[in-house]
């Protein structure tokens, strides 16, 4: 039985993705080959075709099952996101065709090209082909071909049909195998994604339970939706699903027989049953691409991990638009545009199921909510929903670190040899240290008085229980050690009589004598003075660390500030590690740093553990720690934990507006919107408002009754939001302001709320967003000094110095903040107003002496050629902070100009040892060293370090001068060439550098070097002329 021949026009090559003609940079060349085919169902003249991943191409026909001649052997594609998507979505389809039967397909198979992304440069396999039915039938003998009489159709069959005889051995035909390989020169996927990538699959079955007003618009028949005037679009994770069309129901519901005499019964239908009925028996919106497969790399996975630790999900965007009428004489039904606006909305897809290891797929029915404020709630009232699927090929949760995996054998203790009595020295040393620490605690917390007064004072500050417990544990340890080694003690029998009295007496004598020795050493007059001096020194050191951390945070050096605050906890004699207030303050700093929420949570847990262990603190501090920890957990997406804490606080105090605010915010983020609204609205009421209200239902009723009459108390909400900002949780502030819709529009635009919103944006380092909120209010002229200060900070960070100067000058008229004057002084330095800058920095020092302010004074005096005052200011700055590289660089400049050579060399080396970031000062130091012809090796080091910080043309020019003075002529010319290329917009400076370098080339008589120098200068001149800019003045 031969296969039926196809029509002549049926064999058409399939189209595919766009391809390139020539190889080159940014392109990938795929090489295809086919070696041979085994176990064909007969002798056939074959050819091989490739399609799917590429535009279809075929080999020439061959009478043998191998040796095909390729018309083309490669496919060239641009190396971009489209290629990566095609490699994961489109398999390579390989077809074997019968050349004698108009290229009819014999069999086909598919090859995945995914390994070529990051695993291998070749995919080679024996591909099993799925045979077409006509060719699969050729594995059985055709009886009609052997007996022509059986082809007579008019003659009735003489006997029943027999089973056809197989032409193979065994139970089934052997598989037809085609050997195929695909090669590339290098791995196709991006280098940065080698160890972190995934295949993203998005599915959208449709949108169901649409409002009847929408599905009936322009529809004349339940089966004809051609006249429907609405177009549909949907997008998830930035990927569109194509055009959506309103389609008829998948099934027709059978009508059920109803007994007219039977009483009517209302059958309760669950939400799951109702949704299943909507999906099966009602019209819905289907999209062109119900399934999308995309390649995603490392940045996507990092974003997903961040999303899972914060929001926990993403939105699907459902957009409706009214179509233009096909016939102008037949306009669309009225109300189409408004209905499209009301029904456009979003659906929240919760992805927290992906957090556990090995979880890769999420299937969900998601409710659609309208974007616009619709009083009729058309979309919500209809219960509109969509069915979504998201699947990843690899776990999004990072694998557990090897450091966290502990083998059980490591938990077992190892002992060598026979067991021996351990030494008791540890217990004795511990007892002496406990006596010493107890003495220090008594001296620190008590200022004379009787024993009762001292005990009372220690209980008030919270140190009594700790001292008592430490003494008790150390004394018990001494008793145990002495009992273990007492020869009169018999194991298993208690000491009695004289033996017991002797044991207790000797141990008591030891304890008393040891304590007396320690106390005598600590409490004698000279020792007491030493201890008090040590405590004072420790407090001074802690204060210094706090001040340096404040300055580091002011300058944006968060890493140094964190190290300084951590070092405060290590200061001996203050026990800062046992103070919950210190841990609370440290947690706030970590939250302000951004991306250190986990460390902040650990700090808060430490504060909570200390309070749980009996460390006495104020009620306000304990409440703040609890609220901060719950809010941090809420911000990290662990909603249920936060809700449990806030619900407990609400049950403790039903009338507490604070607990209501945080509980409402947590419920809102958990998508319990209706429930959250009453809590958030009532959070703006004073305690007296809740008198006589027995439960939450009564609160809701009172809110509805007085909603129009009661004004919104902005100051109460502002206190909550300011507390969230002190916690560093700007995202929760944005959630309340932008999503909850609790505050009316006029309240949102008030100064109190605008200032909070701008502070939150500034906390996120989004200074442009902060200014967009502040500038309209600043233009009214009624802005507060705090608003002007915040605006000045934002302008300064954006380097808009003119606006920053104006804003900060408006702020200083009413505020006395040292940081404000430091900011203003910095702007004045940029504007080269040296005297005003000096006076501004000195004003900051009056409020709080800082190294930053003294450094500003020194810089202003140096630029005014007042070397004496500059040196004095630098000494003050160095006393406050001797690790500032800019201060050492300025000291070097002062010493160089006063020709104090040894001090200048020492200051320069100290600056270089601190990993400096002040590139401009280093270049100036190198220039001064070269001008004074002093320490050219130091000058070279300063310039190279400056170029590592910031690659500048001026730096290369100075380095060229230094190298020329050191006799490195050729290296000097090469640096001059680099400087010429970078100083395109400074022709005067280029002219000076070019003249020096040309003179060196003439001395060397090096024509190639001279030609290269001329080429660099000519290129710079052409670029400068092409820009058409006025030559700037050389400073």
């Amino acid at each position: 039985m031969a296969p039926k021949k196809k029509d002549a026009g049926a064999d058409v090559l399939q189209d595919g993705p766009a391809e390139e003609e020539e190889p080159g940079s940014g392109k990938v060349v795929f090489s295809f080959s086919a070696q041979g085919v085994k176990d064909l169902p007969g002798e056939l003249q074959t050819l091989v075709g490739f399609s799917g991943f590429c535009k279809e191409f075929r080999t020439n026909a061959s009478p043998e099952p191998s040796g095909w001649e390729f018309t083309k052997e490669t496919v060239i594609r641009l190396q971009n996101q489209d290629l990566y998507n095609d490699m994961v979505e489109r398999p390579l389809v390989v077809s074997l065709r019968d050349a004698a039967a108009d290229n009819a397909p014999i069999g086909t198979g598919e090859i995945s090209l995914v390994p070529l992304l990051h695993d291998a440069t070749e995919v080679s396999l024996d591909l099993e082909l799925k045979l077409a039915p006509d060719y699969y039938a050729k594995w059985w003998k055709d009886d009609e071909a052997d007996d022509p009489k059986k082809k007579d159709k008019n003659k009735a069959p003489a006997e029943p049909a027999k089973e056809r005889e197989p032409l193979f051995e065994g139970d089934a035909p052997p598989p037809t195998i085609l050997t195929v390989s695909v090669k590339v020169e290098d791995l196709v996927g991006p280098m940065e994604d080698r160890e972190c990538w995934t295949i993203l699959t998005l599915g959208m079955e449709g949108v169901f339970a649409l409002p009847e007003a929408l599905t009936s618009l322009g529809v004349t028949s339940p089966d004809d939706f051609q006249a429907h005037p609405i177009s549909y679009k949907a997008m998830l994770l930035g990927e569109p699903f194509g055009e959506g069309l309103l389609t008829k129901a998948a099934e027709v519901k059978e009508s059920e027989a109803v007994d007219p005499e039977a009483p009517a019964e209302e059958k309760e239908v669950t939400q799951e049953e109702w949704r299943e009925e909507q999906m099966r028996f009602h019209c819905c919106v289907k999209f062109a691409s119900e399934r999308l497969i995309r390649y995603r790399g490392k940045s996507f996975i990092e974003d997903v991990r961040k999303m899972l630790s914060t929001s926990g999900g993403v939105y699907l965007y459902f957009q409706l638009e009214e179509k233009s009428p096909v016939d102008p004489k037949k306009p669309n039904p009225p109300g189409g545009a408004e209905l499209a606006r009301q029904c456009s909305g979003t659906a929240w897809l919760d992805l927290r199921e992906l957090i556990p290891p090995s979880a890769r797929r999420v299937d969900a029915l998601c409710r659609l909510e309208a974007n616009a404020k619709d009083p009729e709630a058309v979309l919500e009232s209809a219960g509109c929903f969509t069915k979504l699927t998201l699947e990843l090929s690899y776990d999004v949760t990072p694998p557990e670190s090897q450091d966290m995996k502990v083998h059980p054998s490591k938990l077992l203790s190892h002992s060598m040899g026979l067991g021996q009595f351990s030494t008791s020295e540890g217990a004795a040393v511990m007892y002496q240290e406990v006596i010493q620490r107890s003495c220090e605690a008594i001296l620190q917390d008590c200022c004379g008085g009787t024993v009762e007064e001292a005990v009372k004072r220690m209980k008030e500050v919270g140190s009594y229980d700790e001292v008592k417990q430490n003494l008790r544990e150390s004394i018990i340890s001494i008793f145990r050690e002495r009992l273990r080694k007492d020869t009169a003690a018999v194991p298993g029998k208690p000491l009695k009589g004289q033996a017991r009295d002797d044991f207790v007496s000797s141990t008591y004598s030891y304890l008393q004598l040891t304590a007396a020795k320690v106390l005598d050493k600590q409490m004698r007059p000279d020792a007491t003075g030493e201890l008090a001096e040590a405590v004072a020194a420790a407090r001074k050191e802690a204060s210094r660390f706090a001040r340096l951390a404040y300055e580091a945070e002011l300058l944006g050096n968060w890493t140094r500030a964190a190290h300084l605050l951590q070092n405060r906890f290590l200061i001996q004699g203050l026990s800062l590690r046992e103070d919950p207030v210190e841990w609370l303050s440290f947690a706030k700093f970590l939250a302000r740093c951004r991306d250190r929420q986990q460390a902040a949570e650990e700090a808060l847990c430490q504060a909570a553990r200390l309070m749980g262990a009996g460390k006495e603190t104020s009620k306000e501090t304990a409440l703040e720690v609890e609220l901060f920890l719950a809010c941090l957990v809420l911000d990290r997406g662990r909603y249920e934990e936060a809700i449990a804490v806030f619900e407990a606080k609400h049950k403790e105090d039903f009338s507490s507006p604070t607990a209501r605010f945080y509980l409402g915010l947590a419920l809102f983020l958990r998508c319990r919107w209706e429930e959250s609204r009453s809590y958030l609205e009532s959070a703006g009421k004073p305690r007296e408002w809740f008198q006589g209200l027995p439960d939450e239902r009564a609160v809701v009723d009172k809110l509805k009754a007085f909603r129009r009459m009661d004004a919104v108390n902005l100051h109460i909400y502002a206190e909550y939001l300011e507390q969230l900002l002190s916690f560093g949780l700007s995202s929760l502030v944005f959630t309340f302001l932008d999503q909850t819709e609790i505050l009316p529009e006029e309240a949102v635009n008030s100064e109190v709320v605008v200032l909070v919103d701008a502070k939150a944006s500034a906390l996120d380092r989004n200074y442009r967003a902060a200014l967009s909120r502040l500038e309209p209010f600043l233009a009214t002229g009624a802005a507060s000094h705090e608003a002007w200060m915040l605006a000045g900070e934002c302008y300064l960070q954006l380097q808009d110095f003119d606006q920053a100067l104006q804003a900060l000058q408006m702020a200083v008229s009413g505020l006395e903040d040292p940081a404000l004057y430091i900011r203003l002084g910095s702007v004045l330095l940029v504007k080269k107003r040296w005297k005003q800058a000096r006076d501004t920095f000195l004003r900051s020092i009056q409020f709080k002496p800082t190294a930053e302010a003294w450094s500003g004074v020194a810089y202003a005096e140096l630029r005014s050629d007042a070397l004496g005052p500059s040196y004095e200011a630098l000494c003050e700055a160095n006393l406050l902070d001797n690790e500032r590289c800019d201060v050492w660089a300025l000291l070097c400049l002062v010493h160089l100009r006063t020709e104090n050579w040894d001090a200048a060399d020492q200051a320069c080396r100290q600056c270089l040892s601190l990993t400096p970031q002040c590139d401009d000062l280093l270049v100036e130091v190198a220039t001064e060293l070269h001008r004074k012809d002093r320490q050219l090796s130091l000058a070279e080091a300063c310039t190279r370090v400056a170029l590592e910080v910031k690659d500048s043309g001026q730096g290369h020019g100075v380095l060229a001068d230094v190298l020329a003075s050191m006799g490195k002529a050729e290296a000097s010319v090469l640096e001059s060439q680099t400087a010429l290329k970078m100083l395109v917009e400074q022709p005067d400076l280029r002219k000076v550098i070019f003249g020096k370098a040309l003179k060196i080339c003439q001395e060397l008589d090096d024509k190639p070097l001279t030609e290269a120098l001329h080429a660099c200068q000519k290129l710079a001149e052409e670029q400068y002329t092409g820009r058409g800019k006025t030559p700037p003045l050389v400073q």
Side-chain angles (χ1 to χ4, degrees):
M1 180 177 64
K4 297 179 180 179
K5 292 187 178 182
K6 298 183 178 181
D7 296 335
D11 185 23
V12 179
L13 296 179
Q14 298 179 11
D15 198 6
E19 300 177 3
E20 299 295 311
E21 297 292 337
E22 298 291 337
S25 177
K27 300 178 183 179
V28 180
V29 179
F30 295 85
S31 302
F32 300 89
S33 64
Q35 282 73 33
V37 62
K38 297 186 298 184
D39 294 321
L40 278 173
E43 296 183 1
L44 300 170
Q45 186 177 6
T46 59
L47 58 88
V48 181
F50 298 89
S51 60
F53 169 73
C54 56
K55 294 181 180 180
E56 185 175 8
F57 68 94
R58 300 173 182 173
T59 66
N60 293 327
S62 172
E64 301 294 331
S66 62
W68 298 285
E69 182 180 346
F70 279 76
T71 56
K72 71 171 186 177
E73 296 181 350
T74 61
V75 170
I76 305 174
R77 293 282 304 273
L78 288 175
Q79 189 173 12
N80 53 22
Q81 184 64 40
D82 292 337
L83 172 61
Y84 308 147
N85 291 341
D86 288 342
M87 292 182 69
V88 299
E89 184 177 17
R90 296 169 174 257
L92 178 66
V93 179
V94 183
S95 59
L96 186 68
R97 296 178 176 270
D98 188 352
D102 292 339
N103 297 336
I106 300 173
T108 59
E110 295 182 352
I111 300 176
S112 174
L113 301 183
V114 172
L116 299 179
L117 284 168
H118 297 289
D119 299 330
T121 57
E122 180 179 1
V123 176
S124 180
L125 73 161
D126 293 334
L127 182 65
E128 180 178 348
L129 301 179
K130 182 180 180 181
L131 298 182
D134 290 344
Y135 288 92
Y136 186 75
K138 294 175 71 65
W139 282 108
W140 282 266
K141 185 176 181 181
D142 190 350
D143 294 336
E144 294 183 1
D146 296 340
D147 190 357
K149 295 181 180 180
K150 293 185 179 181
K151 297 181 180 179
D152 189 357
K153 298 181 180 179
N154 297 324
K155 183 177 180 181
E159 56 185 13
K162 296 185 299 182
E163 185 177 354
R164 296 168 59 192
E165 181 181 353
L167 299 177
F168 55 86
E169 297 179 358
D171 297 332
T176 302
I177 303 297
L178 176 63
T179 304
V180 183
S181 67
V182 183
K183 297 181 181 179
V184 291
E185 294 182 358
D186 198 0
L187 296 177
V188 180
M191 178 68 70
E192 61 271 16
D193 298 344
R194 285 288 182 265
E195 303 298 330
C196 187
W197 64 282
T198 190
I199 299 175
L200 171 67
T201 303
L202 302 175
M204 184 178 184
E205 189 168 324
V207 180
F208 307 95
L210 293 164
E212 185 177 358
L214 178 64
T215 57
S216 60
L217 188 66
V219 178
T220 57
S221 170
D223 297 330
D224 185 11
F225 297 98
Q226 294 295 328
H228 186 58
I230 303 297
S231 64
Y232 302 86
K233 296 179 181 178
M235 182 179 293
L236 180 62
L237 289 175
E239 294 291 339
F241 286 92
E243 183 180 359
L245 296 175
L246 190 63
T247 58
K248 64 179 182 179
E251 304 178 29
V252 178
K253 189 175 183 179
E254 297 180 359
S255 58
E256 299 179 358
V258 179
D259 187 359
E261 297 181 357
E265 294 183 1
E266 294 184 1
K267 183 180 179 182
E268 293 185 1
V269 180
T270 64
Q271 186 181 33
E272 290 76 11
E273 294 174 343
W274 179 82
R275 284 183 169 179
E276 183 180 358
E277 182 179 347
Q278 292 293 326
M279 295 171 64
R280 294 175 57 190
F281 305 120
H282 294 268
C283 63
C284 61
V285 173
K286 296 284 187 178
F287 289 89
S289 302
E290 293 187 357
R291 187 168 179 264
L292 303 174
I293 302 177
R294 296 291 184 263
Y295 169 90
R296 288 296 181 264
K298 180 180 180 180
S299 61
F300 171 81
I301 294 178
E302 290 176 348
D303 291 341
V304 170
R305 290 173 180 170
K306 184 177 180 181
M307 173 269 294
L308 291 177
S309 65
T310 53
S311 61
V314 295
Y315 281 105
L316 168 85
Y317 295 93
F318 183 54
Q319 188 68 33
L320 281 66
E321 294 182 1
E322 184 180 18
K323 299 178 182 177
S324 300
V326 179
D327 188 353
K329 297 181 180 180
K330 296 181 180 179
N332 292 334
E338 178 62 20
L339 193 59
R341 185 188 67 84
Q342 293 176 349
C343 294
S344 296
T346 58
W348 177 255
L349 177 59
D350 193 338
L351 298 178
R352 286 174 298 172
E353 296 180 14
L354 297 176
I355 295 178
S358 73
R360 301 177 182 176
R361 182 182 176 94
V362 174
D363 294 284
L365 295 176
C366 304
R367 181 182 177 186
L368 276 165
E369 295 185 353
N371 293 330
K373 295 180 180 180
D374 182 13
E376 299 180 2
V378 176
L379 202 61
E380 290 83 351
S381 60
C384 185
F385 67 95
T386 180
K387 186 174 182 180
L388 300 175
T389 301
L390 186 145
E391 185 175 4
L392 301 172
S393 59
Y394 298 103
D395 293 355
V396 71
T397 304
E400 185 178 8
S401 172
Q402 292 296 329
D403 297 337
M404 301 300 294
K405 300 178 181 178
V406 181
H407 194 273
S409 61
K410 295 184 179 181
L411 301 177
L412 301 175
S413 59
H414 299 277
S415 58
M416 301 297 293
L418 297 176
Q420 298 179 354
F421 283 114
S422 59
T423 177
S424 301
E425 183 180 357
V429 172
M430 182 180 72
Y431 176 69
Q432 295 175 12
E433 291 177 350
V434 167
I435 295 295
Q436 183 177 352
R437 290 200 303 269
S438 302
C439 177
E440 294 174 356
I442 294 171
L443 290 175
Q444 180 178 343
D445 298 335
C446 305
C447 301
T450 63
V451 175
E452 291 77 11
E453 292 173 348
V455 171
K456 182 179 180 182
R457 175 59 182 163
M458 293 179 67
K459 288 183 177 180
E460 289 176 353
V461 300
S463 60
Y464 177 80
D465 291 336
E466 182 180 1
V467 171
K468 178 181 176 181
Q469 182 65 20
N470 290 338
L471 283 171
R472 182 178 183 275
E473 292 176 355
S474 62
I475 291 173
I476 292 175
S477 178
I478 294 294
F479 267 91
R480 285 177 175 170
E481 288 296 321
R482 293 179 67 87
L483 180 63
R484 187 165 61 90
K485 296 185 177 181
D486 195 328
T487 56
V490 179
K493 293 184 179 181
L495 287 174
K496 295 181 180 180
Q498 188 64 34
R500 180 179 182 278
D501 294 338
D502 293 342
F503 172 78
V504 173
S505 177
S506 63
T507 305
Y508 174 78
S509 299
Y510 170 81
L511 293 172
Q512 185 183 36
L513 291 174
T514 303
K517 291 179 182 178
V518 176
L519 290 173
D520 181 66
K521 182 179 179 180
Q522 294 291 328
M523 296 300 294
R524 63 178 185 266
D526 58 335
T528 304
E530 293 175 2
L531 182 60
E533 184 179 349
V535 172
R539 290 176 176 171
K540 183 178 180 180
E541 187 72 3
S543 176
R544 175 176 175 271
F545 281 160
R547 176 180 51 76
L548 292 178
Y550 164 79
E551 289 192 48
E553 183 176 353
L554 185 66
L555 298 177
N557 193 346
W558 299 97
T559 302
R560 189 188 183 208
H563 290 163
L564 289 166
L565 291 176
Q566 288 171 348
N567 289 337
R568 287 185 78 246
F569 288 106
L570 303 178
I571 297 176
Q572 298 293 332
L574 293 184
S575 300
L576 296 179
R577 286 176 291 182
E578 307 300 323
D579 189 352
V581 177
E582 291 291 336
W583 286 107
L584 174 61
S585 177
F586 186 52
K588 289 183 178 180
F589 164 78
L590 293 172
R592 291 196 301 272
C593 287
R594 321 319 269 154
D595 299 329
R596 296 193 181 189
Q597 283 84 355
Q598 183 176 356
E601 184 176 347
E602 293 175 358
L604 290 171
C605 290
Q606 178 65 17
R609 281 193 290 267
L610 290 173
M611 292 187 297
K615 198 71 175 180
E616 293 187 7
T617 55
S618 63
K619 292 183 179 179
E620 292 77 11
T621 300
L623 178 61
E624 189 173 10
V625 169
E626 193 170 3
L627 290 179
F628 191 0
L629 184 55
C631 288
L632 191 59
V633 167
L634 178 64
D635 185 61
R636 301 188 71 190
R638 287 144 54 191
Y639 305 125
E640 299 300 338
E641 293 182 37
I643 290 174
V645 174
F646 295 137
E647 282 181 341
K649 303 302 294 183
H650 175 59
K651 290 179 181 179
E652 291 177 6
D653 189 354
F654 180 79
S655 302
S656 171
T658 303
R660 288 179 165 275
F661 175 79
Y662 288 115
L663 178 57
L665 194 59
L667 292 173
F668 180 85
L669 288 173
R670 194 62 184 88
C671 302
R672 293 159 63 177
W673 297 294
E674 295 298 331
E675 189 177 355
S676 68
R677 188 167 188 84
S678 63
Y679 286 102
L680 290 174
E681 284 189 17
S682 60
K685 310 298 180 185
R687 282 183 172 272
E688 298 78 17
W689 190 87
F690 297 93
Q691 290 182 358
L693 299 179
D695 52 23
E696 195 61 33
R697 187 62 199 171
V699 173
V700 174
D701 293 339
K702 188 173 181 179
L703 285 173
K704 292 180 179 179
F706 294 94
R707 182 169 290 159
R708 295 184 179 180
M709 293 182 287
D710 290 350
V712 177
N713 192 335
L714 287 180
H715 294 285
I716 294 181
Y717 286 112
E719 290 178 4
Y720 304 145
L721 299 177
E722 288 287 356
Q723 188 174 41
L724 287 175
L725 289 178
S726 71
F727 295 160
L729 303 177
S730 55
S731 59
L732 297 184
V733 175
F734 292 138
T735 298
F736 176 77
L737 293 179
D738 301 337
Q739 299 182 28
T740 60
E741 300 180 354
I742 295 299
L743 301 180
E745 185 175 357
E746 58 272 13
V748 173
N749 294 324
S750 64
E751 181 183 12
V752 176
V753 178
V754 167
L755 190 57
V756 169
D757 196 358
K759 286 180 181 179
S761 297
L763 190 62
D764 282 346
R765 322 288 193 262
N766 190 352
Y767 302 107
R768 296 192 185 278
L771 287 173
S772 66
R773 287 290 280 153
L774 286 173
E775 286 177 341
F777 194 77
L778 296 176
T780 63
S784 63
H785 297 289
E786 189 178 4
W788 281 110
M789 179 179 176
L790 180 59
E793 174 71 18
C794 295
Y795 284 126
L796 179 60
Q797 295 295 338
L798 296 174
Q799 298 187 357
D800 188 349
F801 300 112
D802 292 332
Q803 293 286 356
L805 179 60
Q806 179 184 353
L808 292 173
Q809 285 176 338
M810 293 291 293
V812 294
S813 60
L815 293 176
E816 296 183 352
D817 186 347
L820 171 60
Y821 287 94
I822 289 177
R823 295 304 195 201
L824 179 57
S826 302
V827 176
L828 290 170
L829 288 180
V830 174
K831 307 297 287 184
K832 298 183 179 180
R833 302 180 185 180
W834 312 124
K835 185 177 180 180
Q836 295 180 20
R838 178 201 64 189
D839 295 341
T840 304
F841 283 120
L842 288 174
R843 186 71 183 276
S844 172
I845 292 170
Q846 292 177 359
F847 299 120
K848 184 176 183 178
T850 57
E852 176 67 15
W854 279 116
S855 175
V857 172
Y859 189 89
E861 295 287 17
L862 179 65
R863 296 309 179 205
S864 302
D865 293 329
L867 299 182
S870 177
Y871 177 73
E872 293 177 2
L874 289 172
C875 290
E876 293 290 340
N878 213 0
L879 285 174
L880 294 174
D881 186 1
N882 60 357
E883 295 182 358
R884 287 182 63 107
C885 56
D886 58 333
V887 172
W888 287 108
L890 290 171
L891 274 172
C892 180
L893 288 173
V894 171
H895 288 310
L896 285 173
R897 294 183 183 180
T898 56
E899 297 186 354
N900 189 357
W901 309 124
D902 293 338
D905 295 345
Q906 183 180 359
C908 184
R909 288 187 171 87
Q910 184 65 24
C911 175
L912 293 176
S913 68
L914 295 174
T915 315
Q917 298 297 317
C918 49
D919 57 290
D920 51 346
L921 289 177
L922 288 173
V923 171
E924 189 174 356
V925 168
T927 303
E928 195 70 21
L929 287 169
H930 175 260
R931 190 172 67 85
K932 297 287 187 179
D933 196 20
R934 289 284 306 172
Q935 293 287 0
L936 295 180
S937 58
L938 273 181
E940 181 185 4
C942 288
T943 314
R944 294 194 182 278
V945 172
L947 291 175
E948 291 179 3
V949 177
K950 181 181 178 181
D951 195 13
S952 64
Q954 186 179 1
H956 285 284
V958 173
L959 181 57
D961 292 340
V962 173
L963 292 174
S965 299
M966 297 174 68
K968 302 177 181 179
E970 186 174 353
S972 174
V973 175
L974 294 177
E975 291 295 334
S976 299
Q977 293 178 10
T978 305
L980 293 175
K981 295 176 184 178
M982 301 182 68
L983 295 172
V984 173
E985 297 183 2
Q986 299 185 36
D988 294 341
L989 185 57
R990 278 193 286 107
K991 184 177 180 180
V992 174
I993 296 174
F994 176 74
K996 295 179 181 178
L998 183 60
K999 184 178 179 181
I1000 295 174
C1001 290
Q1002 292 172 352
E1003 293 175 355
L1004 292 174
D1005 194 19
D1006 191 333
K1007 293 183 178 180
L1009 195 62
T1010 305
E1011 292 176 358
L1013 181 65
H1014 279 285
C1016 291
Q1017 175 69 350
K1018 182 179 179 181
L1019 179 62
E1021 288 290 344
E1022 291 177 352
Q1023 292 178 351
Y1024 176 73
T1025 305
R1027 295 183 181 185
K1029 295 185 178 179
T1030 305
L1033 296 176
V1034 179
Q1035 299 176 357

